[in-house]
Amino acid sequence: MTLHQAPRRRRTTGRLLATSAGMATGLLVTGLLAAPSQAEPSPDTTTGAPIGTTARTVGDARYEPGPCPKTPEPIEALEGARCGTLTVPENRAEPGSRTIELGVAIVSAKSDHPKPDPIVWLAGGPGDDAVGEAKLAIDGGLNRDRDVIFMSQRGTYSADPNALCPNIDEFNARVVGLVYDAPSTERQHVEATKACRDKLVASGIDLSAYNDTESAADYDDLRKALGIGEWNLYGISYGTNLALVYMRLHPEGLRSVGLDGILPPSTGGSASTWRSFQQGTDGLFKACAEQPACNKRYPNLSATFEKLVNDLEAKPVTTTVTLPGSAKPVKVVLDGGMLVNWLTSATHTAETVPRALDELANGNPQRVAQQWASWRTNPKGIGVTSHGLVYGVFCSQWTPYETQEQALKGGQEAFPGFPASVQAQAPLLTFLRPDCDVWNIPPAAASIRDVTSGDIPTLALSGAFDAQTGADNGPYVARTLSNAKVVTIPYEPHVVFATSKCAQDIAVSFFDTPAAPKTECLNGLEPPEFEIGP
C-alpha cells in the first residue's frame, strides 16, 4: 500500500494502502538521480537483439517497440530507455474481450557485462504506475548488473485506457477541512466513488477485469513477448501482493523475488491493517522510550497518543494553516480518526513525531495540521492514481472475504481504548465497505486468498517502523516459501528501499546471490535522533 501524498522520506546512509480505498497515490521520494546508462543492453534470448527492440506476438499478447510511456513529470532515469507497448485482452475470461495497451520502459544495466535475467519492478498502490517509480528503483542501484523493466499495470497512468478519477483525489484533498469519519464525510466520499465508477463504466471499461489475476497474466505475457526465459521481481508495498499472486499463478520463468513492505493476499483487509499500525507505532514509541532525552521530554508517548485520539474524537479541533506556494489559508479539522491516519504517514518522518504529539497535547495543533494538509492537498497527487485498480483489487479480493464484524474486531483488539467510531475505520481504509458496495463488482475466486508456497528464492524485507504493512508479514509469508530470507531493517518505515542505503545494498546483493544476500550493514544501524522541543 502507498500513502495519499506520503511525506518525503528521509534518505539515510547508515541505517509511499492505499489510504481510504480510493485514496492511494504514488510515492514521493528523495535522492539523487542516477545518470542514464550507456552499457550494452541485455539480449532477447530468441533473437539476440536487445530486450524490448523486437516486436513479437505470443498467444493473445503482442509487444511493439515504440515511444516511452508518459509520466506526470520528466524522469531523467528513463532517458535512453528502450520502450514500447504490450497489448493484451482486457478480460481473458470473456471471449472477444477488447484489448488494452500497457506502457513498457526498460532501463539498461550500468555494468558493461549485464546479467541475462532482468529485474521487473512491481509498483505500490494499488493504483500506482511502475513507470513513474523508475527514479526510485534506479536511485537505489537496482540496475547495477541487470536491466530493470517497468510496465504500467492495467488501468494506471500510462496505460490505455487508464482508470484515473481526479474527482476522488480532489475530494480527498478537501477532507482536511471535514470531520474525518463523520457520516456526512462518508456520504460525500461514497458519492465521489460512485461518480468515478459511473464515469469509467460509461467509457467502456470492464471494472471486473482490474485485479491481480489479470495483472499477473499481463506480466507473464510480457516476459514471453520480450523473449525472456527467466527474470526476477522486486515488488514494493501493494506490489508485493501482486508478486505473491504472480508467484502462485505463474511460477515458471521466475529466478527470484524481492518483497519490500509486504502485503500478503491471504490476510488483506482491515483487521491486518490495524495490526500493522499497532506494530509500526509501537516500534516508534519504543525507540523514543529507549532514547534518554526523548523519554525524559516525552514520557509514555503511547498513552499521550491514545488520550489525544479519544479527546479529539469527542471534541475535534479546527485550525488554519498556510501551505508553501499559496497565501490562502487552509482549514484543517483534527479529530481522532484523522490523528490515526496522520500517524500512519508520519512514521516516515519518525524523528518529528514525539514533538508533534506533545505540541498537540499542549494546545498547539499547527505542526500536525501543517503536515496533514501538505500531504493531502499536494497538487501532484491529483489525477495520477488508478482508482479503477484500487477498487478492483480491494472490492473483489478483500471485502468479500472479511466480514464487517471481523474488520471491527481488528480495531477493538489492537486498540481497545479507542472510541468505537475510530475502531470502525481501519487506517488508510476509511469507508472501504460502503465504497465497495457502490463499486459493485463480483468477488474474485476464493483462491485469490490462497497462501503462496514454493521454493522460488525470496527476499522478505520490512521496516520496524512500518505502520502500513507490519514487519511480522515477513516471517508470515516465509513460512511457506522454503527459500525465503527474512530481513527487518530497524528504525525504518514502509518500503525500506526508498529510505535505507542498507536495504538497497541487501536487495542488490540478493539478486547477485539469492541464497546469501549480504546483510552485514544491519550491524551499524542506529535509531533516529528525535527532535526535542523547548
Side-chain angles (χ1 to χ4, degrees), residues 68-385:
C68 286
K70 65 179 181 178
T71 57
E73 296 179 339
I75 299 177
E76 186 178 343
L78 293 176
E79 292 180 11
R82 308 183 306 279
C83 299
T85 56
L86 180 74
T87 302
V88 295
E90 183 178 45
N91 190 335
R92 292 173 174 84
E94 295 290 336
S97 169
R98 71 170 184 172
T99 58
I100 59 177
E101 294 183 353
L102 310 176
V104 179
I106 304 167
V107 177
S108 293
K110 289 183 178 180
S111 171
D112 291 333
H113 303 286
K115 301 294 194 298
D117 47 290
I119 298 170
V120 182
W121 181 270
L122 300 182
D128 295 346
D129 192 327
V131 180
E133 294 180 353
K135 179 184 184 302
L136 172 58
I138 303 310
D139 280 358
L142 210 57
N143 69 324
R144 187 190 70 186
D145 300 309
R146 289 173 169 80
D147 291 356
V148 181
I149 300 173
F150 305 90
M151 182 170 76
S152 52
Q153 192 177 347
R154 53 175 52 211
T156 59
Y157 185 86
S158 61
D160 185 15
N162 64 51
L164 313 179
C165 283
N167 74 297
I168 289 181
D169 302 322
E170 291 162 354
F171 173 76
N172 291 333
R174 294 196 301 273
V175 163
V176 299
L178 304 175
V179 175
Y180 191 80
D181 48 20
S184 56
T185 304
E186 176 181 344
R187 276 195 307 275
Q188 294 177 65
H189 192 287
V190 174
E191 287 171 2
T193 301
K194 187 175 186 306
C196 169
R197 182 193 192 280
D198 292 347
K199 182 192 108 170
L200 296 180
V201 169
S203 72
I205 288 178
D206 179 354
L207 298 180
S208 68
Y210 291 76
N211 55 54
D212 288 342
T213 301
E214 292 286 359
S215 290
D218 294 341
Y219 280 96
D220 190 53
D221 281 346
L222 178 66
R223 180 182 65 81
K224 296 170 183 174
L226 291 177
I228 298 172
E230 187 176 63
W231 66 10
N232 310 273
L233 305 180
Y234 194 84
I236 64 166
S237 191
Y238 156 74
T240 67
N241 186 102
L242 176 57
L244 288 161
V245 172
Y246 184 175
M247 291 167 71
R248 185 169 56 80
L249 297 181
H250 305 282
E252 60 280 359
L254 287 181
R255 172 181 175 267
S256 66
V257 177
L259 306 173
D260 181 350
I262 302 166
L263 187 65
S266 54
T267 63
S270 295
S272 66
T273 303
W274 274 117
R275 288 193 297 273
S276 292
F277 177 73
Q278 180 186 38
Q279 187 176 152
T281 56
D282 279 354
L284 192 161
F285 295 154
K286 183 173 183 287
C288 173
E290 292 174 346
Q291 200 167 111
C294 190
N295 187 49
K296 180 178 180 180
R297 181 66 182 81
Y298 310 115
N300 207 353
L301 207 55
S302 178
T304 298
F305 173 64
E306 182 169 321
K307 185 175 187 302
L308 280 168
V309 170
N310 278 276
D311 290 350
L312 290 172
E313 190 72 359
K315 190 176 181 180
V317 169
T318 300
T319 188
T320 59
V321 298
T322 302
L323 302 178
S326 174
K328 184 179 179 181
V330 175
K331 174 187 172 184
V332 180
V333 176
L334 293 84
D335 63 1
M338 168 267 160
L339 193 64
V340 167
N341 284 270
W342 166 82
L343 184 56
T344 310
S345 304
T347 52
H348 291 81
T349 52
E351 60 276 4
T352 70
V353 167
R355 183 177 182 180
L357 288 174
D358 181 72
E359 288 178 356
L360 181 58
N362 285 283
N364 180 5
Q366 287 299 111
R367 185 183 297 264
V368 171
Q370 183 85 24
Q371 287 181 333
W372 180 245
S374 296
W375 303 338
R376 282 301 185 104
T377 63
N378 190 324
K380 292 182 179 180
I382 305 297
V384 297
T385 299

